[in-house]
C-alpha cells in the first residue's frame, strides 16, 4: 500500500507543479484575464442587466470593475447571476454595497466585466494539494446491467457493455452516433433504476446544458421523475424556464421560483437527486461541500477537456467513462508550443483527458511531456460508434476518408450541401472577406423573404431561430464583422460552436490558413470537422469557389465537389431557390 501511495503522490505533485507553472506563466504574460465587452447597461432596482459583446466561456469566475472619478473597485460575482446565452445577456442580482454604488454613480461610472481564468487554474492546484492521496485510476467495477435494450445497434450495445464492465472506458464516435442520446442515456437510466447516484461532467457550461437538454427529452418519454436530475451551476434562461425542477435550489430562489410546498435546501436536493451534472470547474470548486460518493463518473466532451483538470474525477477510484471524439477540437491552452518546450510540465494542460491512463501508469513523465494533443491516446478499453444519424452517407464517407478512417457510415438520405460563390477575395488581410459577408447577407435576406426561416423557429420559442440556424467562420475578425451586420442571427468561431448543433449552418471559410482551414495540417482538419458537423440538415458554404476548387487534396474542395451550386444573383423569383429546400 505504501508503494501505491507513493505513486499517487508523484502524479498529484506533477499536477500541482503543472498548475502552478501555468498560473505563473499566465500572470507573467498578462494572460488569463479576459475582458467581455459590455454593449448596453440597464439598472432595474436590485438587478443589473449587461448586454455582452460575446458569449461567456465560463461563468465560474466573473469580476465587475466599477470606475468612478478615476477610482476603481472590483467586485467578484458569485452565484447571483442569470445568463441568457441566446441573447448574450447577463443579469446580476446586486448586493447592498454594489447596488448603492451603481444607483448613486451609474451615469458617471465606467463598467468593465472580466472573466479571470487564472483563478480556475489556482483552484486546480489547491484541489490536488488537498486530495493528493486520493487520486488513483478507477479500481472499482461498475454495477452489472441487467438488460441491454434491443433497439440499440451492435456498436451501441458493445459500448454500453463496456461502460458496465470496465472501471475506465472511452466511448468514441462522431456527432450523431448515439454517444449521448443512446449510450449515456441508457447508462444513466440503468443506474437510476438501481437507485445509485452518478455524476455527469462537461468542460463548459454550454456543453453541460446541451447534454442535459438531450437527456431530459429522453427521460420525459420514459415517464421518469425529472427532479431526479440536478444540474448545478448557472443555467440559461431557456433551460430555467423549461426545466426549473432540475436547477440548483439557489438559482430558483434568486429567480423567485418555488417548486415545492415546503422550502428545500441545496443539501436535500443533492441527497435526493440520482443524476447530478456540473462543469469540471464546478466539480473542483464544489467537491468538498458535495459530501457524495458517486457510483460512476461520466465525462462528456473529453477530448476538449484538459488532462490537468480531468484528473480531479479520479478521486476515490469510482468507475469513469469518457465520451467524446478525439478527431475534433482539443483543449485550449494559452501557452504556445515554443514556450511549452521551456515549461514541459505545463503540457498536462495541453493534452486531453484521453491521456489519463498513460499519465497515471507512467513513473516518468518525459514521454508524455513531448506529446501533442494530435497524438492518438493510449487507452485499454475503447468502443467505437461507426454509424451517424447526424448526416447522410455522402458526408459520412468524406469525413471517414479524411478524418475517421473507422468505416464511418451515415443515413441513406443525403446531406443537403449547397455552395454559393461569393466571387474572388480581394483583401490583403487573410482574416476577412467582404465578399463572403455581402453574399451571406444576400442569402440570409433571401431565406427571410421566402419564409424559409419561419419554418426553423424553435417549438419552445417561436420568436427566435437560434437553435436552427447559425453562421460559423474560423476567423475572429470575420465573426465580428458578420455579427455586426447580421445582429439577429448567431455568428460563432469554430471554437465557439463546439458542443452546439443547428438544423442549418452557413459556413464562411474566408481563406486558406495553415492553422484553421488547411486540412493538410491535422488541427485545422479537426477544426473543419467541428464546423461541418454542427449542422443536422443543410449546410451552406459561402466562399470564393474558383479558389477552393483549385486547392488539390483539400477537405473543403472535396466537400464543394459534392455540393449543389446556388446562383444567388440570378434569383429573381423565390421559387427558383425554394425548390432546393423541398422535402
Amino acid at each position: 500500500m505504501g508503494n501505491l501511495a507513493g505513486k499517487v503522490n508523484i502524479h498529484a505533485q506533477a499536477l500541482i507543479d503543472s498548475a502552478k507553472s501555468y498560473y505563473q506563466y499566465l500572470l507573467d504574460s498578462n494572460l488569463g484575464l479576459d475582458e467581455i465587452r459590455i454593449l448596453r447597461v440597464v439598472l432595474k432596482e436590485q438587478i443589473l442587466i449587461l448586454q455582452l459583446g460575446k458569449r461567456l466561456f465560463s461563468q465560474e469566475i466573473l469580476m465587475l470593475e466599477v470606475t468612478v472619478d478615476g477610482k476603481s473597485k472590483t467586485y467578484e460575482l458569485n452565484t447571483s447571476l442569470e445568463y441568457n446565452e441566446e441573447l448574450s445577456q447577463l443579469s446580476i442580482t446586486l448586493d447592498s454595497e454594489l447596488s448603492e454604488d451603481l444607483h448613486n454613480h451609474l451615469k458617471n461610472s465606467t463598467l468593465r466585466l472580466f472573466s479571470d481564468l487564472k483563478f480556475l487554474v489556482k483552484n486546480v492546484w489547491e484541489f490536488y494539494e488537498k486530495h493528493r492521496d486520493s487520486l488513483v485510476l478507477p479500481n472499482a467495477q461498475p454495477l452489472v446491467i441487467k438488460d441491454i435494450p434491443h433497439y440499440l445497434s451492435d456498436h451501441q450495445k458493445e459500448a454500453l457493455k463496456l461502460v458496465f464492465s470496465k472501471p475506465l472506458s472511452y466511448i468514441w464516435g462522431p456527432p450523431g452516433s448515439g454517444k449521448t442520446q443512446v449510450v449515456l442515456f441508457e447508462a444513466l437510466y440503468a443506474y437510476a433504476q438501481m437507485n445509485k447516484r452518478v455524476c455527469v461532467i462537461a468542460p463548459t457550461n454550454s456543453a453541460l446544458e446541451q447534454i442535459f437538454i438531450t437527456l431530459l427529452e429522453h427521460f420525459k418519454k420514459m415517464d421518469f421523475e425529472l427532479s431526479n436530475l440536478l444540474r448545478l451551476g448557472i443555467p440559461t434562461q431557456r433551460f430555467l424556464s423549461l426545466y426549473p425542477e432540475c436547477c440548483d435550489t439557489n438559482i430558483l430562489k434568486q429567480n423567485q421560483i418555488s417548486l415545492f410546498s415546503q422550502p428545500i435546501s441545496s443539501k436535500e436536493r443533492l441527497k435526493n437527486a440520482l443524476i447530478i451534472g456540473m462543469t469540471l470547474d464546478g466539480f473542483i470548486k464544489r467537491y468538498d461541500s458535495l459530501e457524495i460518493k458517486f457510483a460512476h463518473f461520466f465525462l462528456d466532451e473529453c477530448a476538449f477537456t484538459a488532462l490537468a483538470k480531468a484528473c480531479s474525477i479520479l478521486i476515490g477510484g469510482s468507475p469513469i467513462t469518457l465520451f467524446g471524439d478525439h478527431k475534433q477540437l482539443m483543449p485550449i491552452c494559452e501557452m504556445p508550443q515554443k514556450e511549452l518546450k521551456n515549461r514541459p510540465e505545463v503540457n498536462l494542460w495541453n493534452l486531453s483527458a484521453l491521456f489519463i491512463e498513460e499519465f497515471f501508469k507512467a513513473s516518468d513523465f518525459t514521454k508524455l511531456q513531448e506529446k501533442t494533443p494530435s497524438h492518438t491516446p493510449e487507452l485499454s478499453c475503447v468502443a467505437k460508434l461507426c454509424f451517424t444519424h447526424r448526416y447522410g452517407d455522402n458526408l459520412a464517407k468524406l469525413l471517414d476518408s479524411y478524418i475517421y478512417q473507422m468505416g464511418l457510415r451515415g443515413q441513406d438520405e443525403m446531406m443537403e450541401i449547397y455552395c454559393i460563390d461569393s466571387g474572388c477575395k480581394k483583401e490583403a488581410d487573410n482574416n476577412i472577406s467582404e465578399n463572403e459577408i455581402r453574399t451571406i447577407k444576400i442569402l440570409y435576406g433571401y431565406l427571410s423573404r421566402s419564409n424559409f426561416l419561419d419554418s426553423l423557429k424553435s417549438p419552445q420559442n417561436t420568436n427566435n431561430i437560434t437553435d436552427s440556424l447559425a453562421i460559423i467562420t474560423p476567423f475572429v475578425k470575420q465573426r465580428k464583422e458578420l455579427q455586426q451586420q447580421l445582429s439577429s442571427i448567431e455568428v460563432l468561431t469554430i471554437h465557439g460552436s463546439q458542443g452546439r448543433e443547428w438544423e442549418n449552418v452557413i459556413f464562411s471559410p474566408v481563406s486558406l490558413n495553415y492553422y484553421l482551414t488547411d486540412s493538410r495540417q491535422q488541427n485545422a482538419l479537426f477544426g473543419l470537422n467541428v464546423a461541418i458537423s454542427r449542422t443536422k440538415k443543410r449546410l451552406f458554404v459561402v466562399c470564393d469557389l474558383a479558389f477552393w476548387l483549385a486547392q488539390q487534396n483539400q477537405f473543403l474542395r472535396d466537400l464543394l465537389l459534392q455540393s449543389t451550386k446556388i446562383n444567388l444573383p440570378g434569383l429573381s423569383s423565390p421559387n427558383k431557390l425554394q425548390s432546393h429546400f423541398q422535402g
Side-chain angles (χ1 to χ4, degrees), residues 346-362:
V346 179
N347 206 38
L348 299 184
W349 290 83
N350 191 42
L351 298 176
S352 79
L354 289 166
F355 291 87
I356 203 165
E357 191 174 349
E358 286 176 69
F359 173 58
F360 265 79
K361 285 185 175 180

Side-chain angles (χ1 to χ4, degrees), residues 13-29:
Q13 192 59 52
L15 290 162
I16 293 165
D17 293 344
S18 178
K20 286 185 174 180
S21 182
Y22 189 31
Y23 182 89
Q24 192 60 49
Y25 169 78
L26 294 174
L27 197 64
D28 295 343
S29 307

Side-chain angles (χ1 to χ4, degrees), residues 426-489:
K426 299 175 181 178
E427 296 86 359
D429 187 340
N430 288 328
N431 298 341
I432 196 164
S433 168
E434 290 292 345
N435 275 349
E436 286 184 21
I437 294 170
R438 175 184 58 82
T439 306
I440 289 170
K441 285 175 68 178
I442 294 170
L443 172 62
Y444 182 70
Y446 167 75
L447 296 175
S448 301
R449 289 192 302 274
S450 66
N451 298 321
F452 176 62
L453 295 184
D454 290 339
S455 67
L456 304 181
K457 290 179 181 178
S458 166
Q460 287 84 15
N461 184 355
T462 56
N463 293 321
N464 77 71
I465 58 165
T466 54
D467 292 336
S468 294
L469 181 65
I471 301 172
I472 298 176
T473 181
F475 299 95
V476 172
K477 187 178 285 189
Q478 183 81 344
R479 184 199 68 78
K480 286 181 178 178
E481 188 62 29
L482 277 163
Q483 191 68 83
Q484 189 173 339
Q485 297 198 34
L486 290 161
S487 57
S488 60
I489 185 171

Side-chain angles (χ1 to χ4, degrees), residues 381-398:
C381 304
V382 180
K384 300 178 184 178
L385 301 176
C386 302
F387 184 89
T388 175
H389 296 272
R390 172 69 63 85
Y391 27 68
D393 204 43
N394 56 335
L395 184 56
K397 285 179 179 177
L398 180 63

Side-chain angles (χ1 to χ4, degrees), residues 405-418:
Q405 295 165 0
M406 66 190 305
L408 180 65
R409 291 296 175 262
Q411 300 182 86
D412 291 336
E413 184 181 353
M414 296 296 100
M415 177 82 171
E416 295 180 46
I417 307 170
Y418 302 99

Side-chain angles (χ1 to χ4, degrees), residues 85-86 180-181 184-185 188 200 202 205-221 226 229-231 235-244 246-247 275 277 300 458-460 467 499-501 536:
E85 188 168 12
E86 289 82 5
T180 303
Q181 296 197 40
L184 177 57
F185 167 74
L188 295 176
V200 178
N205 204 51
S206 175
L208 180 66
E209 182 140 312
Q210 187 63 46
I211 294 161
F212 257 65
I213 288 173
T214 300
L215 293 171
L216 284 162
E217 288 302 309
H218 286 279
F219 275 114
K220 279 196 297 188
K221 295 173 186 174
L226 296 189
L229 287 90
L230 174 60
R231 178 255 176 95
T236 62
Q237 191 60 41
R238 178 194 173 206
F239 187 91
L240 184 63
S241 62
L242 288 174
Y243 303 109
C246 301
C247 294
I275 300 165
D300 205 5
S458 166
Q460 287 84 15
D467 292 336
R500 307 278 302 279
E501 58 185 44
K536 294 162 70 177

